[in-house]
């Protein structure tokens, strides 16, 4: 499935649709090159879940955790770009963070990937034109748990 995200408002609306379906145990796996919009979509999801402050990129911290409340459900936002080997996900305690929370994962391949999980919604973002200003296209693959609630 493909979704055209023509501008920032479309990205925010898509993030809100994902947030409306998100539940603990889910993974939203975001792939795409640098500047493809992974963090922008993650921020839209987190904001739609009820976070009213600026959402920092977890590029340097690797993991940012958000509690419920104020969010509708607990969320872990992770950026695995800096991991050098998938085994490092255990060293940073990812499984502990994930317990009872949804995971939004940027650069999921650096952590070994999540597409094999039934609760994974995999989204690959790419520019739809020559620049980011021309919008994005999201290619979506849903795990079995997402099939009845695709955003």
């Amino acid at each position: 499935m493909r979704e055209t995200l023509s501008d920032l408002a479309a990205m925010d609306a898509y993030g809100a649709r994902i947030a409306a379906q998100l539940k603990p145990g889910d993974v939203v796996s975001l792939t795409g090159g640098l500047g493809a919009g992974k963090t922008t979509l993650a921020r839209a999801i987190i904001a739609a879940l009820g976070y009213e402050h600026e959402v920092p990129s977890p590029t340097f911290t690797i993991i940012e955790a958000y509690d419920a409340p104020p969010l509708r459900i607990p969320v872990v936002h992770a950026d695995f770009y800096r991991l050098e080997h998938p085994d490092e996900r255990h060293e940073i305690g990812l499984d502990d963070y994930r317990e009872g929370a949804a995971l939004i994962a940027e650069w999921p391949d650096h952590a070994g990937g999540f597409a094999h999980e039934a609760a994974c919604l995999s989204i690959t973002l790419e520019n739809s034109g020559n620049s980011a200003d021309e919008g994005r296209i999201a290619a979506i693959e849903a795990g079995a748990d997402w099939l009845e609630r695709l955003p």
Side-chain angles (χ1 to χ4, degrees):
M1 183 168 110
R2 295 172 74 77
E3 180 86 19
T4 300
L5 306 169
S6 58
D7 55 21
L8 186 55
M11 184 81 81
D12 287 345
Y14 186 57
R17 291 189 353 242
I18 293 169
Q21 298 299 322
L22 199 62
K23 61 185 184 179
D26 283 344
V27 178
V28 178
S29 175
L30 303 174
T31 59
L34 291 171
K38 297 178 297 294
T39 301
T40 301
L41 183 55
R43 287 176 173 148
I45 296 166
I46 294 167
L49 287 168
Y51 195 71
E52 296 178 354
H53 305 286
E54 184 174 334
V55 175
S57 171
T59 299
F60 294 104
T61 59
I62 301 176
I63 291 177
E64 292 285 339
Y66 299 89
D67 294 326
L71 272 63
R72 181 176 60 77
I73 62 169
V75 172
V76 175
H77 179 197
D79 182 332
F80 298 116
Y81 183 77
R82 293 181 42 227
L83 296 188
E84 294 181 14
H85 191 277
D87 287 345
E88 290 180 74
R89 71 188 259 174
H90 303 294
E91 293 173 23
I92 61 175
L94 180 61
D95 292 339
D96 293 332
Y97 280 103
R98 287 186 66 184
E99 191 169 323
L103 171 64
I104 301 171
E106 298 183 44
W107 300 96
D109 55 317
H110 290 220
F114 302 92
H116 63 281
E117 296 183 23
C120 184
L121 181 67
S122 297
I123 302 170
T124 301
L125 295 166
E126 55 190 51
N127 291 335
S128 60
N130 293 327
S131 73
D133 295 337
E134 295 181 43
R136 310 255 180 342
I137 294 174
I140 301 127
E141 293 183 32
D145 290 356
W146 276 94
L147 293 177
E148 296 296 320
R149 57 189 168 105
L150 280 170

